[in-house]
Amino acid sequence: MTTQIVMGGYGPSTTTHSRALKIIGERLITQFGGDVDVKYVWNIMDFGYKGEEVLWMSERGLLTLAYQSTSYLTDRVPELEFADLPFLFASLEEARAAMDGKFGAYMTRAIESRIPGYKMLGYFENGYRHVSNRLRAIHQPADMQGMTIRSLPSQMHARTYELLGAVPKIMDLKPAIAQITAGELDAQENPLANTVDYGVHKVHKFHTLTGHSYLSRGIYCHRASFESWPKALQEAMLTAVREAVLAQRELAVREEDIAEQAIKDAGGEVVRLTAGERAAFVQAVKPLHDEARARFPEAYAALKA
């Protein structure tokens, strides 16, 4: 009997996350041949869905496997707000070690305990997020005063921008891009590769490498499907996902360099914060860290383990 596996996301086939899905599929086909039938839905937004809807699709089995930023689950899994804290990690290496270790395991337990329909397979890297805008160069929080900015659906993100003086607007990706293009929304924040993939660099001149948030995209598998597979396929999927995660991380680093050049080629300005400027951003959001340590002691302990 052939096992049907449908993997999907919300970006074109060229993104690092789509290419990582392809790696998973190719590994499974190489190992199991005709015993698996792998299909891809690269971008559900091409079919009229919102990017966030990959979540219910994988939870209910329309997609066997999908990825999405964990920020989209904070309303159902409040513990994930801790992962949305700004300036949570000191470096990319530290962030990856945390996600591969006890902190990632903590997030997986929290998600699976509150949403039993998911089998968490791992975490792709969404990377460090940076602010772009159409108004002015940003060197300090005061430069963001009154600036409207698109926010992911996480109160931690929204409160971060409020503390930095901006006006957060929580909205899904597609309407956000439309408002940015129309000049109705001043700013957004994303890894540089996303900013370029979405075409935002064509309308935003100013890009500041704030690195204020490191986000992961959970890899959500439909639990009932996963548990119905033979043990060999389950183990092969876990191995393939791990290989894809490591490959996607390296792809993401290269894509950021390519994206930065694309921004400059489009006439954009890229600001790198000095140590003092970065310290001002960190100080502005310190209240969030103080509060989160009290609210989520288990998450803090996992992070420091």
Side-chain angles (χ1 to χ4, degrees):
M1 181 177 176
T2 302
T3 299
Q4 309 286 331
I5 299 175
V6 182
M7 297 188 281
Y10 51 101
S13 61
T14 54
T15 68
T16 65
H17 299 90
S18 294
R19 289 151 73 185
L21 292 185
K22 189 72 171 177
I23 289 172
I24 296 170
E26 289 176 347
R27 297 292 190 276
L28 296 178
I29 291 170
T30 297
Q31 185 168 347
F32 295 96
D35 290 337
V36 295
D37 178 19
V38 179
K39 295 290 190 292
Y40 307 94
V41 182
W42 299 122
N43 190 352
I44 65 167
M45 293 191 297
D46 290 341
F47 302 94
Y49 293 101
K50 296 179 180 179
E52 65 187 44
E53 292 190 279
V54 294
L55 289 168
W56 69 258
M57 288 179 171
S58 56
E59 184 179 357
R60 299 179 189 179
L62 278 77
L63 294 174
T64 316
L65 183 151
Y67 63 83
Q68 178 55 276
S69 295
T70 57
S71 300
Y72 280 84
L73 283 178
T74 54
D75 59 335
R76 301 176 67 187
V77 189
E79 294 90 339
L80 297 178
E81 285 187 38
F82 192 91
D84 284 347
L85 276 170
F87 305 106
L88 184 60
F89 303 110
S91 67
L92 189 60
E93 292 72 26
E94 181 181 308
R96 290 174 172 177
M99 293 309 302
D100 289 343
K102 292 185 177 180
F103 187 66
Y106 164 81
M107 291 175 64
T108 291
R109 289 195 304 273
I111 295 169
E112 291 184 345
S113 66
R114 293 185 180 272
I115 310 177
Y118 288 144
K119 168 68 177 177
M120 298 303 297
L121 301 185
Y123 298 89
F124 287 142
E125 186 166 88
N126 199 9
Y128 279 105
R129 302 173 77 84
H130 310 293
V131 176
S132 74
N133 80 96
R134 66 187 183 89
L135 299 178
R136 53 188 172 269
I138 295 172
H139 289 269
Q140 55 190 344
D143 295 327
M144 295 183 67
Q145 188 66 40
M147 189 178 286
T148 57
I149 184 169
R150 181 255 178 163
S151 172
L152 291 172
S154 163
Q155 287 304 308
M156 191 67 76
H157 284 277
R159 292 177 64 198
T160 294
Y161 308 135
E162 288 173 348
L163 286 173
L164 295 176
V167 180
K169 303 289 185 180
I170 293 177
M171 63 181 69
D172 196 54
L173 179 61
K174 197 169 185 176
I177 293 174
Q179 289 195 23
I180 289 168
T181 302
E184 299 168 356
L185 193 61
D186 298 327
Q188 63 94 46
E189 46 84 55
N190 256 304
L192 297 183
N194 288 5
T195 296
V196 171
D197 283 341
Y198 304 148
V200 174
H201 68 305
K202 297 177 182 178
V203 292
H204 277 180
K205 179 178 180 179
F206 305 104
H207 303 259
T208 298
L209 304 186
T210 49
H212 59 279
S213 179
Y214 174 92
L215 292 189
S216 298
R217 285 180 170 171
I219 305 169
Y220 311 92
C221 188
H222 181 237
R223 177 175 289 277
S225 295
F226 183 88
E227 293 181 347
S228 72
W229 297 342
K231 187 69 173 179
L233 179 54
Q234 292 180 1
E235 293 176 351
M237 174 63 87
L238 293 173
T239 299
V241 167
R242 183 57 186 164
E243 291 177 0
V245 166
L246 295 176
Q248 187 268 332
R249 287 176 176 175
E250 297 312 306
L251 289 171
V253 170
R254 293 199 292 271
E255 288 295 316
E256 285 294 280
D257 292 337
I258 293 169
E260 181 173 349
Q261 188 58 52
I263 289 168
K264 293 176 179 177
D265 290 345
E269 298 179 8
V270 177
V271 173
R272 281 180 163 76
L273 298 177
T274 66
E277 289 170 342
R278 185 178 188 277
F281 279 87
V282 172
Q283 183 61 33
V285 299
K286 185 177 181 297
L288 295 179
H289 284 257
D290 296 337
E291 178 186 312
R293 289 179 186 180
R295 285 181 63 202
F296 307 112
E298 187 179 347
Y300 184 71
L303 179 66
K304 297 302 179 181

